[in-house]
Amino acid sequence: MRWCALTDPTIVLKLWAARRRAALARQDAGATQRRVLARLLARAADTRFGQAHDFAAIRSVRDYQRRVPVRTYEEFWTRWWQPSFPDVGGVTWPGRMRYYANSSGTTQAVTKRIPLSRAMLRANKSCALDVLAWHLAARPDSRVLASGGIFLGGTTDLERLAPGVAAGDLSGIAAIRTPIWARGRVLPPPAIAALRDWREKMAALAPLALQHPVASISGTASWMLLFFETVASLRPPGALLRHLFPELELIVHGGVGFAPYRSRFAAWMQGSAALTREVYAASEGFIAVADRGDGEGLRLILDRGLFYEFVRPGDLGSVSSGQGGPERRWIGNAVVGEEYALVLSSNAGLWSYILGDTVRLVSLDPPRILISGRTAWSLSVAGEHLIGAELDRAATEAAQAVGRNLVEYSVAPVAPDEQDNRGGHLFAVELDGPADAAEFGRALDAALRRLNEDYAAHRGDGFGLRDPDIRLLPPGSFTRWMERRNKLGAQNKVARVVGDAGALATLLS
């Protein structure tokens, strides 16, 4: 494969990006979200869902929230989609769905099928351009489209559900629907993109990537690192990104929290001019993009067909309990600093859908969020209520305390037993070299005490929680574990919190 001999379209992109950023600078968040909701309701008014909830009579956000309850995926599936699946056109959104994104997150055993409408697919392409718009703001001299890019996605060999209807990873579907301006500029080529085995795909892609100038790499952080290692194995020892891809200027990552991987990326990027940019692109919609530096929050994309609501995680229990539903806020009355479960209505027929992620608003003008974890990731054995962001930070700090970088970790609750009537936490941890487990455990415990007052109270004098149980694993343990479970690469994620210690048995054995 050779890059297409086309003129550099970056100059055209720069003109568009400047106009887009100027429009966003003038954007009124509340008014924008009201318009988005109104358009969604108008478009879906004649669907079965729209008629059942009288969309035509809705005149305000409050009307909408009174008429449309918060729902889980299971409620959408059993009540609305399953009876006519895979032909759900006109059920919750007009028009035939040609694609479904397979999504299992990290806690669901059963694959979820998320409908992807034409409107959603168009919106996702526009959001990808927003990523480049913010990159050009940070790098005005960029020539990001003059060279090629690498998109580390799932297989393009999709599952056929019916004639003209297919399902797969969102990243695999996106690779099939590469926009015209990117065709011939993005690796892997079709034959490699269709491979299902991740190791086989990386082995085939690595030598090809070294033959071309590469300006951008996109993918899930954990699997990008595996790709870097595969490419570096073809060069003399000690090769870094600046040696492998000297023209690299942009690394786009998303799908998992970046904190556990930040130090390893920094090591790979030594001497490189590349910038990292985080995106929040779920199967249910392209939600946010970093418009500033790493760790400064992701800017919500307000005008691409998604309407956002915010519910306190502790109130989600009332969704299924029939207690009238949780208190629901939106961008017009959400509170900075609060942690919320994100609820989504979309141009693919999701209506007040519990996404499964928790976020914290760090600003409202413009709205920026930090992803704090998953609604199912709250770890609480004795009332300590540890959340994903706290676990990520503590594990990262503990690795640094023992002079190592964190590769991966998972944690499970440990129930009281005959030997100890206190509960605790079992941490399976992989570092980038040998370390002392006891020292790691002390550093982890200290970090969690500092980050979470409830944890500190329950750990006081060892009264409510036993010491963390630390199992340091050999190199490659998590990769092999994911491979055995057929979850290596693409959009698969290592579960940070698993249901019980027994669920880690195959990892620890």
Side-chain angles (χ1 to χ4, degrees):
M1 174 183 175
R2 298 180 62 84
W3 300 127
C4 288
L6 302 174
T7 56
D8 179 7
T10 307
I11 184 63
V12 177
L13 177 65
K14 287 181 179 180
L15 295 173
W16 172 86
R19 289 196 297 270
R20 173 64 173 162
R21 292 194 303 269
L24 290 174
R26 299 188 299 269
Q27 191 176 73
D28 180 297
T32 300
Q33 281 282 274
R34 283 193 190 95
R35 285 194 297 271
V36 166
L37 179 60
R39 290 169 184 162
L40 293 175
L41 294 170
R43 185 75 186 278
D46 293 331
T47 63
R48 284 174 46 204
F49 191 95
Q51 291 174 348
H53 295 83
D54 201 6
F55 278 8
I58 295 175
R59 297 290 180 267
S60 67
V61 173
R62 181 173 293 182
D63 281 351
Y64 174 72
Q65 292 176 333
R66 278 199 293 253
R67 291 179 182 272
V68 181
V70 173
R71 284 180 171 88
T72 63
Y73 171 82
E74 288 73 19
E75 291 170 301
F76 270 103
W77 173 252
T78 57
R79 170 68 176 84
W80 297 99
W81 296 331
Q82 188 178 34
S84 59
F85 183 82
D87 183 13
V88 302
V91 178
T92 63
W93 189 257
R96 191 184 192 206
M97 300 291 175
R98 291 184 56 204
Y99 296 102
Y100 291 85
N102 290 338
S103 175
S104 59
T106 54
T107 59
Q108 296 286 341
V110 178
T111 298
K112 297 185 289 185
R113 309 283 201 179
I114 307 297
L116 295 175
S117 66
R118 288 187 173 130
M120 172 67 74
L121 293 169
R122 287 194 300 269
N124 286 350
K125 289 181 181 179
S126 297
C127 293
L129 286 174
D130 280 357
V131 177
L132 294 178
W134 293 117
H135 174 65
L136 293 174
R139 184 66 60 79
D141 60 347
S142 168
R143 297 190 61 207
V144 68
L145 299 185
S147 301
I150 298 173
F151 181 57
L152 300 176
T155 178
T156 56
D157 182 16
L158 304 181
E159 176 188 0
R160 304 297 165 181
L161 301 178
V165 182
D169 279 354
L170 178 64
S171 58
I173 296 169
I176 289 173
R177 298 181 58 85
T178 301
I180 292 174
W181 56 266
R183 291 174 189 169
R185 299 178 182 275
V186 179
L187 290 173
I192 297 177
L195 295 175
R196 291 181 173 274
D197 184 277
W198 188 257
R199 288 190 183 276
E200 182 184 2
K201 178 181 285 190
M202 294 303 98
L205 176 59
L208 189 60
L210 289 171
Q211 298 172 20
H212 298 283
V214 172
S216 64
I217 303 176
S218 305
T220 301
S222 52
W223 307 126
M224 273 197 279
L225 291 168
L226 186 61
F227 174 67
F228 297 163
E229 293 171 2
T230 305
V231 178
S233 70
L234 304 177
R235 288 289 185 257
L240 300 175
L241 288 182
R242 71 174 187 269
H243 306 119
L244 305 174
F245 306 115
E247 296 185 27
L248 183 65
E249 62 172 86
L250 174 62
I251 297 175
V252 181
H253 64 88
V256 295
F258 194 55
Y261 308 104
R262 185 174 282 115
S263 60
R264 294 178 67 204
F265 267 83
W268 277 104
M269 294 172 66
Q270 290 179 50
S272 172
L275 302 175
T276 60
R277 192 158 300 277
E278 185 172 4
V279 297
Y280 183 4
S283 298
E284 294 85 354
F286 203 127
I287 293 165
V289 58
D291 63 333
R292 292 184 172 178
D294 180 27
E296 294 186 68
L298 307 181
R299 180 171 178 148
L300 281 175
I301 300 175
L302 302 174
D303 58 354
R304 302 295 194 194
L306 301 180
F307 178 76
Y308 307 102
E309 296 176 85
F310 306 90
V311 173
R312 292 184 180 90
D315 293 344
L316 289 178
S318 63
V319 172
S320 57
S321 66
Q323 298 174 3
E327 179 188 8
R328 295 155 65 178
R329 294 182 177 268
W330 66 293
I331 210 63
N333 59 10
V335 179
V336 170
E338 286 269 3
E339 185 180 23
Y340 294 110
L342 193 58
V343 173
L344 200 66
S345 299
S346 80
N347 54 5
L350 295 174
W351 302 101
S352 295
Y353 168 90
I354 301 171
L355 193 62
D357 294 326
T358 56
V359 301
R360 182 174 290 111
L361 280 162
V362 295
S363 70
L364 284 174
D365 187 20
R368 290 192 184 89
I369 59 172
L370 291 172
I371 304 169
S372 57
R374 298 280 295 173
T375 55
W377 275 11
S378 177
L379 183 63
S380 188
V381 175
E384 66 276 25
H385 300 299
L386 292 167
I387 63 173
E390 294 165 345
L391 292 166
D392 281 353
R393 185 171 174 182
T396 302
E397 289 183 9
Q400 293 170 346
V402 297
R404 293 296 179 189
N405 292 318
L406 181 65
V407 176
E408 291 287 3
Y409 79 93
S410 284
V411 56
V414 176
D417 53 35
E418 294 179 358
Q419 285 72 40
D420 195 329
N421 61 7
R422 301 167 301 166
H425 308 128
L426 170 64
F427 283 83
V429 181
E430 183 180 335
L431 304 176
D432 65 351
D436 181 74
E439 185 182 355
F440 180 95
R442 287 191 293 270
L444 177 75
D445 188 44
L448 289 174
R449 289 179 190 237
R450 189 184 73 254
L451 294 169
N452 186 295
E453 292 181 358
D454 289 333
Y455 178 88
H458 284 90
R459 283 287 294 139
D461 298 322
F463 177 74
L465 284 170
R466 64 180 78 172
D467 293 347
D469 183 356
I470 308 299
R471 311 288 179 88
L472 295 184
L473 305 179
S477 293
F478 275 89
T479 297
R480 291 189 292 272
W481 186 50
M482 295 293 281
E483 192 169 19
R484 288 196 299 269
R485 297 161 64 221
N486 197 30
K487 290 185 175 294
L488 187 64
Q491 291 177 257
N492 295 302
K493 311 175 185 90
V494 170
R496 291 292 178 239
V497 176
V498 300
D500 59 72
L504 292 179
T506 57
L507 174 60
L508 298 175
S509 60

